[in-house]
Amino acid sequence: MLLWAAVAVQAQEALWSGAEVASPVVGKDGTVEFNYVSQGAERVLVCGDFLPEIEVALPDGGKQKIRAAEMKKGDKGVWSYKTEPLKPELYSYTYMVDGERLLDPANIYVCRDVASLTNIFIVSLAPGDKGSLYSDNAVPRGNVSKVWYDSPTMKMQRRMSIYTPPGYEEGGRYPVLYLLHGAGGDEEAWLTLGRASRILDNLIAAGKAVPMIVVMPNGNITSKAAPGEWEAGMYAPSFDESLNFKIKPAATMDEGFKDIVAYVDGHYRTIKADSARAVCGLSMGGGHSFAIANRYPGDFDYIGLFSAGLRLDVPNDFSGYYECISANDSLKGRLAEVFDNVRLYWIGIGKDDFLYDQNAGLRRFLNDKGYRYEYVETDGGHIWRNWRVYLTQFVQLLF
Amino acid sequence: MLLWAAVAVQAQEALWSGAEVASPVVGKDGTVEFNYVSQGAERVLVCGDFLPEIEVALPDGGKQKIRAAEMKKGDKGVWSYKTEPLKPELYSYTYMVDGERLLDPANIYVCRDVASLTNIFIVSLAPGDKGSLYSDNAVPRGNVSKVWYDSPTMKMQRRMSIYTPPGYEEGGRYPVLYLLHGAGGDEEAWLTLGRASRILDNLIAAGKAVPMIVVMPNGNITSKAAPGEWEAGMYAPSFDESLNFKIKPAATMDEGFKDIVAYVDGHYRTIKADSARAVCGLSMGGGHSFAIANRYPGDFDYIGLFSAGLRLDVPNDFSGYYECISANDSLKGRLAEVFDNVRLYWIGIGKDDFLYDQNAGLRRFLNDKGYRYEYVETDGGHIWRNWRVYLTQFVQLLF
């Protein structure tokens, strides 16, 4: 024991001010207590969208309203705050200590959203609730692989994440959901903030979704992979990576998508049929799903648009908006062919989403044409909280 | 463009004080500039073992020497510090702002070491140098999977990381390196701070290592997986997870290891031969490798002990220290059988490692018996910088 006590002491020193406290402490009633150790700090806030709005002073003398709560200093320099009971959900937060934003040193669980890291925690009050659905449970678990594939169309090697369901290793053939991220995201996004592998594990275990392969490609057509995973190195990610219209890629996401399907059908035990293929995505990925459906009408029997950003390819040209997927008029009119073949065309969006009007326009167009789709409208805006819900609902309707 | 400009603005707001500056900026000469924005801070340090030792005041009035540098405040609240040219290497750092430790908000690249997160960056000055070896380069890339396997011996499902080399998808059979983490680590450790997949990709591309499968199991026998990846939830990791001798597991790591090999041989296209099987590990994982070699003499033709912590199973019983792997005397004397069969028995350790004496004892024992091994002694202590070097050297000697 002496031997290993020495290791522990070395590690403890490396922790600096962390880890003397537990934080966050999620109570069985849904309350959450945050603890932070600082002798010298004068003001400590915990910040997150689950907290009430308060006013903070800006360095330039102005004021700003943020969702946050004052932490109170107690014994031994421990600052604490305990919330009201929170609903089951995955939550993000950070601290603000004397005006400096920082992560909770006692909480190693962080997610990246575009260019910033935040701490996360999950509130779950009962089996089967939203928090439980996003959590790791004692159920059979799928495997997740990071796979490099060749895209002759995009003229590069590209990276994607692939979830195979529990039981896949034992044999059989499986349907495939292609699950696309939004602008600023990448092939990691649905697995981290999206909790896709947990949602699938839990729904499959509950018999609410059929075992399926889930393919999460990188949808940034001027990148090969997530930041820090390819030869561009450790750059600072930004929306530009997804939406830099100045760089001319070899092809659009929908044009290159056939290479992804070919790789997956060639390397995994898939059911190679339209009826066993779904595509859905959030924001930019919703636009990609829309375009992919139009480019390959009939190849995907299930289409899902989550807070979709439509018409990505030609942002300044809104003529023929809903009917074609690019300035190339030869693809005009494909939507009729899509709706001749599709089993499910699913549209979800939040009431406060800045893309609400654009999706309302699409729905009016589909209504006028008599095309049948399912529509889910939720509270809230352009946020992961909604996208996790849409994924949960959508996968239960598949295959 | 207007549409997406709105997304960018939303994101910008979410970044708080981050991202207005680039940090760290690694120069072509190896200098590294750190930038941090704060109007209100009074003292900002950058902390890392590549910096000179300075004295800082503790909240209790005492003083402590740490490796750090003072950042200077310039225009617009930007604090900066530029290093001397650094040698090619992967480096870790954090900031200390008015006594509070925090991560660089402009740098999303963080690694976890047991219970704390630090920022990382890489200095590379020329192709093929150490920094380049740890980086993502434009070379064929292997795939990495997180795999759940059944361990009847450990009586649980357990998680491991598996690297398959470039070309694996096209067919053929491959040798296998089993690569084990240390106390406080898990199946993620060799991929993050260890940079194992990059080291393999780069050495294979350079023709310095043969294409091989690398299996990185979880070596904490009372856990199923890394923190946050199994039903124990988002707990704070500690060395206790690896070294909690109060919990009686179903079996030792070496006893359960046969289930890992059986899974890998059953699910991957391996060369099923002693000559195509290697096992190595760092610290506790070095102890595991020692024990695995002894428990299955002849099954692994290549053994690597990196800063090995030996005699893990019975920390209070040092009788027959080097000859047996547990209190079970029936295994005594296995070392002779190991050395009858092994092609390479490799021991690496740093001069300042707290396990130096223990490994010197093992070497004296092996020398006395006339067992042949290779020995590499480096500068430095019980640190990742050494383990990455040992992995680099070891894999070039395999198969």
Side-chain angles (χ1 to χ4, degrees):
Chain A
M1 290 296 280
L2 275 174
L3 177 65
W4 294 101
V7 188
V9 168
Q10 287 198 337
Q12 194 60 41
E13 288 174 356
L15 295 180
W16 291 69
S17 58
E20 297 116 283
V21 291
S23 181
V25 181
V26 181
K28 283 182 182 166
D29 57 351
T31 58
V32 181
E33 187 180 289
F34 300 92
N35 295 301
Y36 176 71
V37 180
S38 173
Q39 304 292 343
E42 291 181 5
R43 189 184 189 194
V44 182
L45 301 176
V46 53
C47 310
D49 68 1
F50 53 91
L51 293 164
E53 213 167 44
I54 64 170
E55 205 168 66
V56 293
L58 295 175
D60 63 8
K63 286 182 185 286
Q64 190 184 358
K65 283 190 175 174
I66 61 170
R67 292 197 167 269
E70 299 278 354
M71 296 176 75
K72 290 221 172 88
K73 193 174 182 178
D75 287 347
K76 297 180 185 171
V78 178
W79 297 72
S80 297
Y81 175 78
K82 191 172 181 176
T83 68
E84 296 297 302
L86 300 179
K87 287 181 187 167
E89 182 55 81
L90 181 152
Y91 294 96
S92 298
Y93 73 101
T94 57
Y95 290 149
M96 197 159 63
V97 179
D98 294 342
E100 311 296 321
R101 177 183 180 277
L102 52 82
L103 295 172
D104 184 347
N107 183 357
I108 58 159
Y109 301 98
V110 297
C111 278
R112 177 172 65 85
D113 196 6
V114 193
S116 57
L117 304 176
T118 52
N119 282 112
I120 59 165
F121 65 91
I122 291 176
V123 173
S124 173
L125 301 177
D129 69 14
K130 218 189 269 185
S132 166
L133 188 66
Y134 304 158
S135 295
D136 295 278
N137 293 303
V139 298
R141 303 291 303 268
N143 294 336
V144 174
S145 300
K146 301 299 162 74
V147 170
W148 286 89
Y149 70 99
D150 184 47
S151 177
T153 311
M154 303 300 293
K155 299 196 192 336
M156 53 174 145
Q157 301 284 318
R158 290 174 63 75
R159 190 170 180 258
M160 56 184 161
S161 301
I162 299 188
Y163 166 91
T164 51
Y168 179 85
E169 307 295 322
E170 276 72 62
R173 293 198 162 270
Y174 294 82
V176 185
L177 166 63
Y178 293 86
L179 178 60
L180 312 183
H181 65 81
D186 52 57
E187 71 274 20
E188 314 276 5
W190 268 111
L191 291 167
T192 54
L193 282 167
R195 307 295 285 179
S197 66
R198 275 81 170 191
I199 291 171
L200 267 291
D201 284 344
N202 290 320
L203 288 178
I204 291 168
K208 291 180 175 175
V210 303
M212 65 184 83
I213 297 167
V214 182
V215 176
M216 292 155 273
N218 185 301
N220 303 317
I221 51 182
T222 55
S223 312
K224 294 184 177 179
E229 296 290 345
W230 60 297
E231 65 267 26
M234 295 184 176
Y235 56 92
S238 75
F239 280 103
D240 266 5
E241 192 170 348
S242 301
L243 301 165
N244 187 347
F245 298 109
K246 288 175 194 161
I247 295 179
K248 178 75 186 145
T252 61
M253 181 67 185
D254 48 286
E255 285 168 343
F257 206 73
K258 59 178 177 289
D259 299 338
I260 295 171
V261 176
Y263 182 91
V264 171
D265 278 344
H267 290 82
Y268 287 78
R269 295 192 315 279
T270 62
I271 300 169
K272 293 176 188 60
D274 311 339
S275 60
R277 217 176 275 130
V279 63
C280 69
L282 74 90
S283 195
M284 178 182 82
H288 286 158
S289 300
F290 179 80
I292 289 160
N294 289 10
R295 185 168 293 278
Y296 311 101
D299 285 2
F300 299 84
D301 276 8
Y302 303 84
I303 316 286
L305 312 186
F306 306 170
S307 312
L310 302 160
R311 193 69 185 173
L312 295 172
D313 293 351
V314 196
N316 296 317
D317 173 12
F318 288 78
S319 60
Y321 195 99
Y322 301 116
E323 262 193 297
C324 59
I325 59 174
S326 76
N328 180 350
D329 273 343
S330 70
L331 290 172
K332 208 163 177 174
R334 286 285 180 93
L335 211 51
E337 218 178 317
V338 171
F339 277 90
D340 272 353
N341 290 281
V342 82
R343 289 179 193 217
L344 173 67
Y345 203 101
W346 193 96
I347 300 172
I349 196 159
K351 288 186 178 73
D352 304 328
D353 197 306
F354 76 104
L355 296 173
Y356 185 90
D357 288 346
Q358 192 181 129
N359 279 262
L362 173 62
R363 286 187 290 118
R364 277 192 303 275
F365 179 85
L366 299 179
N367 293 341
D368 288 348
K369 295 277 187 182
Y371 297 147
R372 285 172 56 190
Y373 60 92
E374 289 193 25
Y375 179 59
V376 170
E377 189 170 296
T378 60
D379 288 334
H382 206 69
I383 53 175
W384 274 106
R385 197 177 297 194
N386 276 340
W387 302 324
R388 288 187 292 263
V389 168
Y390 302 160
L391 178 66
T392 301
Q393 295 189 14
F394 186 69
V395 294
Q396 295 187 55
L397 303 171
L398 297 182
F399 312 125
Chain B
M1 290 296 278
L2 276 174
L3 177 65
W4 294 102
V7 188
V9 167
Q10 287 197 337
Q12 196 58 41
E13 287 174 1
L15 295 180
W16 290 69
S17 60
E20 297 115 285
V21 291
S23 182
V25 180
V26 181
K28 284 182 181 165
D29 57 351
T31 59
V32 181
E33 187 179 289
F34 300 92
N35 296 300
Y36 176 72
V37 180
S38 173
Q39 303 292 342
E42 292 181 5
R43 188 183 189 194
V44 182
L45 301 176
V46 53
C47 310
D49 68 0
F50 53 91
L51 293 164
E53 213 166 43
I54 65 171
E55 205 168 64
V56 292
L58 294 175
D60 64 8
K63 288 182 183 284
Q64 190 184 357
K65 282 190 175 174
I66 61 170
R67 292 199 166 269
E70 299 277 356
M71 296 175 74
K72 290 223 173 88
K73 192 175 183 179
D75 286 347
K76 297 178 185 174
V78 178
W79 298 72
S80 298
Y81 176 78
K82 191 173 181 175
T83 68
E84 296 296 305
L86 301 179
K87 287 182 188 168
E89 183 55 81
L90 182 152
Y91 295 95
S92 300
Y93 72 102
T94 58
Y95 290 149
M96 196 159 61
V97 179
D98 295 340
E100 310 296 321
R101 178 183 179 276
L102 53 82
L103 294 172
D104 184 347
N107 183 357
I108 59 160
Y109 301 98
V110 297
C111 278
R112 177 173 66 85
D113 197 7
V114 193
S116 57
L117 303 177
T118 53
N119 281 113
I120 60 164
F121 65 90
I122 291 176
V123 172
S124 173
L125 301 177
D129 70 15
K130 218 190 268 185
S132 167
L133 188 67
Y134 304 158
S135 295
D136 295 278
N137 293 304
V139 298
R141 303 291 302 269
N143 294 336
V144 175
S145 300
K146 301 299 162 75
V147 171
W148 286 89
Y149 69 99
D150 184 47
S151 178
T153 311
M154 304 300 293
K155 298 197 194 332
M156 53 174 146
Q157 300 286 316
R158 291 174 62 77
R159 190 169 178 259
M160 58 183 161
S161 301
I162 300 188
Y163 166 91
T164 52
Y168 179 85
E169 305 296 322
E170 275 73 63
R173 293 197 163 270
Y174 294 81
V176 185
L177 167 63
Y178 293 87
L179 179 60
L180 311 183
H181 65 80
D186 52 58
E187 71 274 19
E188 314 275 5
W190 267 111
L191 290 168
T192 54
L193 283 167
R195 307 296 284 181
S197 66
R198 275 82 170 190
I199 291 171
L200 266 291
D201 284 344
N202 290 321
L203 289 177
I204 292 169
K208 292 180 175 173
V210 303
M212 65 184 83
I213 297 167
V214 182
V215 175
M216 293 155 272
N218 185 301
N220 303 316
I221 51 181
T222 55
S223 312
K224 294 184 177 179
E229 297 290 344
W230 60 297
E231 65 265 27
M234 295 185 176
Y235 57 91
S238 74
F239 281 102
D240 266 5
E241 193 170 347
S242 302
L243 302 165
N244 186 346
F245 297 108
K246 288 175 194 163
I247 296 178
K248 178 76 186 144
T252 61
M253 181 68 185
D254 47 286
E255 284 168 342
F257 206 73
K258 60 178 178 288
D259 299 339
I260 295 172
V261 177
Y263 181 92
V264 171
D265 277 345
H267 290 82
Y268 287 78
R269 294 193 315 277
T270 61
I271 300 170
K272 293 175 188 60
D274 309 342
S275 61
R277 218 176 274 129
V279 62
C280 69
L282 74 91
S283 195
M284 178 182 82
H288 286 157
S289 300
F290 179 80
I292 288 161
N294 288 11
R295 184 167 294 279
Y296 311 103
D299 286 1
F300 300 84
D301 275 8
Y302 302 84
I303 316 286
L305 312 186
F306 305 170
S307 310
L310 301 160
R311 191 72 185 172
L312 296 173
D313 294 351
V314 197
N316 297 316
D317 172 13
F318 287 78
S319 60
Y321 195 98
Y322 300 115
E323 260 194 299
C324 59
I325 59 174
S326 75
N328 181 350
D329 272 344
S330 70
L331 291 172
K332 209 162 177 174
R334 286 286 181 96
L335 212 50
E337 218 177 317
V338 171
F339 278 89
D340 272 351
N341 289 280
V342 82
R343 290 181 192 215
L344 174 67
Y345 204 101
W346 194 96
I347 299 172
I349 196 159
K351 289 186 178 74
D352 303 328
D353 197 308
F354 76 103
L355 295 173
Y356 186 90
D357 288 347
Q358 194 182 129
N359 279 261
L362 173 62
R363 286 187 290 118
R364 276 193 303 277
F365 178 85
L366 299 179
N367 293 340
D368 289 349
K369 294 277 186 180
Y371 298 147
R372 285 172 55 192
Y373 60 91
E374 290 194 22
Y375 178 60
V376 170
E377 190 170 294
T378 60
D379 287 334
H382 207 69
I383 53 174
W384 273 105
R385 196 177 297 195
N386 277 341
W387 301 325
R388 288 187 292 263
V389 168
Y390 302 160
L391 178 66
T392 302
Q393 296 188 12
F394 186 69
V395 294
Q396 295 186 55
L397 304 172
L398 297 183
F399 313 124

